[in-house]
């Protein structure tokens, strides 16, 4: 008849409502973690992810793109950290990841006013690395960038992503120790480094095996 | 006759001068905390605080505005992290809060040179969110922004402020846990969320009760 | 033909061996995370987990019990942080969790010597909360303790576990903020608190619904 | 008519109940901080505080003594981290400060079982530094210890307390930097150090002025 | 005949190759620390260091300038975080220090694409504080800035550098405590502050003794 | 004539005394770092260091042994955190490292009272791992332990030391990531692991090459 026991009962009827309350909040918290994990999937993905934004990128859209590694947009794209307008504190990553990208001050202004801002302003704020005139130009640039990155050593590219994510949350001293340890695993006798120099000598593009 | 005891004496005359020294440094440190707390009051304030800067914002002025949530200025405002010119290491918040707003590099250059910079440059550096031609335009914009924010759900606005301040000093993983816990307290059955949707259905502006 | 591309090739034969090396280390690292997660499952489990140790608890056994919340043992149980004897740095949690339980010094001595120690010594070191003469006494005590905990409010018990795990990795100031936020979610209008006082008034044991 | 505005109204009647909910949780969180601050007063106090425990020390009693610097008890004193029995996650400091004193494992067992333990066991767990046969012996020892500490240099005693509290929440590297900076303020030309050596030469007890 | 013993032998021939592997990785890691320390020397230097960049600043060049306090460049300077093109995860400081200067997003884009960027863009990204038309203008500006900083109180300038580096890796609360402790050492009775006010009264430039 | 310039003068005579003060405090701080580094050398040493304590271990003695990995003592050894008696806040490592070994509470009591305690009590407090009747027994045990550790794989032993030191200052999550990365460098194809299993098959003691 205990709450945690294998045969735990449902409790008496009269306390049901209130009982659900505490319990529903425990479940609510767990559910937020599920949503957060969906957004964090971009970050957990070993290879870098590029977000190409046109049209509207609002609320969960910002959660999503801030969990990506690189962001591009059209000048006319519309961004908005909308949650305050819905009486909600954004809880799927925007308030956590945006400050590391655009700074604490800019994040506060965008999140507290919930105002729209364009791709051009997003470029100025460095939320996006580049902003383009048209969707075509955007997609062409995003694809070119993806191809550029994909042509590099997977060990270097995925390692750089991981080391940068580590750095975001640690001190410089911690980061220096981490990357030294990382490279002592991944770098010595690396075939990718050898392939780079071989390819240069042979005046061809290097070819790397999959990770 | 002990230093900490209830009847502790004043010490012998000959050691007075030097004795005061160690003690005066203990008191000096305590006094700095008092000054810091005055500046941190803007941060401790539950509702967001907007700084509207015209004329000069020098030394303690920078301590003050970096403890606010949003900063606006006139193009001709003059900013200066002046302390180094007075042979002082700034100790009321500027060196602590400015890097999260404009980055470590910009902070170092401004604090080490102690040079003046305009509202227009402050905008480029993102120390201020927007810079205006005149004091009138500035005050109008600041008031409009204050009214915009004040019209939103106090729970969402004050929660966003608090969660962002938490984030400034923690890892993304910590921040995600914190905001999930926060929202499991503040969000379920929130009257403010309901009011937002009711107001939308009724095509009116939502009305929220005070926090 | 790129390493990261959807049609990425296998690389030229001559570099295979070395290529596998960097890649195998990336995979090795991922595999360690899989093993760690298996051990951390005890920690991730919302309800407390009690480890009752008799016989040998060696290597991965220590990883396992340090991820539990409470540990009990027989006097004659044999514990050993064995990894150094196998030329391995323990990487499934022992070196991470044992210091918070027995201190840095005791952990270092146990891990560097890889010596056996008894349940009685484990009790002295506070690795286990209590040590018993026989397996029967141990199991009886473990079951009684499990029943005692299971009879309490699940919200309080699971919340205490989570808050303690948070504390292990944070400052006291952080922990105080976290638990205040936690309780503002879980505590107000809690049916469990009401049930405690109702049961006391009625001189019966409280009954809680499941989490 | 806005929630945050100076003339903010009380909201429409129909949403009152739910509105209070979010707001009452905000207020609940603020109230927990008030209680925590009362307990943390022992920690904030510049001079060390000794807790002498006889009789019962339950719930808030543990919050209180863990915020002290040194704890003494009678063998027959009864300690209990009682909150789980009241369906509460302890939120006034016990779960935050106890692990640094007795370790994570012992804290978990005591908090999850909410069992009584004696002064003698508290001594074994190192929650108290010493346990005494009688209340008289306890009070005599506590007074003697207080007098011993009060006879030392206030700068050294209060500095040691502060540096140890800093250490509890920081890395060793951070702590080494902090204490070096601390002592560069408090130590050079310290009258207290001179008084120590003068008193030794004069075969008398040193006399220090108040902090 | 043990590995760690004073008379440790060289091991049997057959295991040499593989044995070297683990050991070479230990040595590789130590070697990375040596390289990192060379770059960190700019940071460890008590006085501020200004980097004036013209021509190419690639790979280790970025490691070097991000360890400096202030960066200036010519518009036509070419910057590149080149390591990914060499199949390497940059491990001498770029990935650790660049995010604090330009943000996480900009760092990721630059490091993952390994693209060239000009001094003018470096100015926009705030990697450099100012960008100049010509090398002459750059060197003149860098020298003027160096002279400006060198004319200030060494205690204030070196203290500001150190406090800013502390801040980069700590919370605002930690930073406020640190700077209060710092100034309680360096500020009271400072001859530099007196000299500033004396020089102002005498309408001359202050003169400070060396640190 | 500037303080930082290459030709910086000595300042005017009248300000000499006070000028020296700020500067002497800067130098005092640097000097503390030199002393700290001497103590931290035991920690920086790649191989584990065992402290065998007989006679008196007072003040700097405690700084020294807490920087070692394992501590042994005679029952009659006398330990004392003496600094408070000299009007000094201990600044060479004791206050930083002792809490991780014996807990915050025990450290506070020992440092604030500056009382003597025996090797037997040091054992109870777990400051030392074992306490012996005589100096001969102590030295025999210390030598045997050193030989035991030296007979193990240097990669495992030195790696365990380093990973434990990392853990002391980081969260469990950080530690798990670190050790996974560490082992992906040091473990795959380790000759030491192979030697362990080969030696077992051949019923001999394993022989490892030097690190």
């Amino acid at each position: 008849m205990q709450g945690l026991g294998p045969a735990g009962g449902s409790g008496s009827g009269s306390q049901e409502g209130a009982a659900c309350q505490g319990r529903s909040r425990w479940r609510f918290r767990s559910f937020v973690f599920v949503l957060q994990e969906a957004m964090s999937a971009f970050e957990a993905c070993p290879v870098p992810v590029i977000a190409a934004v046109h049209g509207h990128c609002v609320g969960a859209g910002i959660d999503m793109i801030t969990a990506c590694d690189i962001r591009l947009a059209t000048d006319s794209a519309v961004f908005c950290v909308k949650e305050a307008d819905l009486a909600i504190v954004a809880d799927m990553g925007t308030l956590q990841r945006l400050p590391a990208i655009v700074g604490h001050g800019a994040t506060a202004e965008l999140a507290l006013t919930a105002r729209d801002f364009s791709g051009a302003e997003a470029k100025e704020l460095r939320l996006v690395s580049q902003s383009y005139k048209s969707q075509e130009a955007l997609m062409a640039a995003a694809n070119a960038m993806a191809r550029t990155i994909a042509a590099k050593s997977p060990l270097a590219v995925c390692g750089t992503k991981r080391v940068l994510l580590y750095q975001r949350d640690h001190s410089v001293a911690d980061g220096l120790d981490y990357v030294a340890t990382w490279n002592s695993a991944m770098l010595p006798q690396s075939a990718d480094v050898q392939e780079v120099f071989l390819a240069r000598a042979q005046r061809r593009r290097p070819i790397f095996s999959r990770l």
Side-chain angles (χ1 to χ4, degrees), chain A residues 20 59 62 68 105 112 117 130-131 135-136 165 167 178 203:
Chain A
C20 284
I62 308 282
C68 295
L112 291 171
F117 57 107
Q130 200 52 260
S131 176
Q135 186 177 338
E136 289 70 37
L165 286 170
Q167 191 55 45
Y178 190 78
R203 308 202 168 192

Side-chain angles (χ1 to χ4, degrees), chain A residues 25-96:
Chain A
R25 282 162 191 274
W26 176 280
R27 280 194 296 268
F28 181 91
R29 186 170 169 273
S30 303
F31 182 59
V32 175
F33 287 139
V34 173
L35 296 177
Q36 286 177 349
E37 216 167 313
M39 294 302 172
S40 297
F42 297 106
E43 204 167 290
C45 174
V47 302
V49 179
I50 302 170
V53 181
H54 52 89
H56 281 69
C57 178
V58 176
I62 308 282
D63 292 305
M64 202 179 286
I65 65 167
T66 50
C68 295
D69 299 281
I70 299 175
R71 285 151 296 280
L72 304 174
T74 56
D75 292 348
S76 60
V78 178
F79 295 83
C80 184
V81 182
K82 191 69 177 173
E83 281 85 349
D85 271 353
L86 306 179
I88 293 174
V89 175
D91 60 7
M92 292 197 290
T94 293
L95 299 185
Q96 283 66 50

Side-chain angles (χ1 to χ4, degrees), chain A residues 51-199:
Chain A
V53 181
H54 52 89
H56 281 69
C57 178
V58 176
I62 308 282
D63 292 305
M64 202 179 286
I65 65 167
T66 50
C68 295
D69 299 281
I70 299 175
R71 285 151 296 280
L72 304 174
T74 56
D75 292 348
S76 60
V78 178
F79 295 83
C80 184
V81 182
K82 191 69 177 173
E83 281 85 349
D85 271 353
L86 306 179
I88 293 174
V89 175
D91 60 7
M92 292 197 290
T94 293
L95 299 185
Q96 283 66 50
R97 293 189 180 99
L98 193 51
I101 302 170
V102 304
H104 179 77
T107 303
E109 191 253 344
L110 296 173
L112 291 171
T113 63
R115 71 175 173 85
D116 287 349
F117 57 107
S118 67
E121 188 179 350
K123 165 74 169 69
E124 260 180 65
L125 290 167
R126 292 188 309 198
L127 171 56
V128 304
S129 291
Q130 200 52 260
S131 176
Y132 299 89
K133 293 284 177 205
S134 68
Q135 186 177 338
E136 289 70 37
L138 167 70
M139 294 313 297
N143 276 317
M145 185 184 277
R147 244 174 273 123
T148 298
I149 295 175
K152 297 185 204 297
S153 155
L155 265 183
V157 162
C158 300
T160 297
K161 169 171 178 166
R162 199 52 44 201
V163 163
L164 279 176
L165 286 170
Y166 180 90
Q167 191 55 45
R168 187 185 56 191
D169 297 328
H170 291 83
S171 69
V172 167
D174 270 6
L176 289 171
D177 181 340
Y178 190 78
V179 76
T181 308
W182 180 280
N183 268 357
S184 71
M186 308 300 173
L187 198 52
Q189 302 171 309
S190 161
D192 290 12
V193 174
Q194 294 166 34
E195 169 64 5
V196 164
F197 288 97
L198 193 63

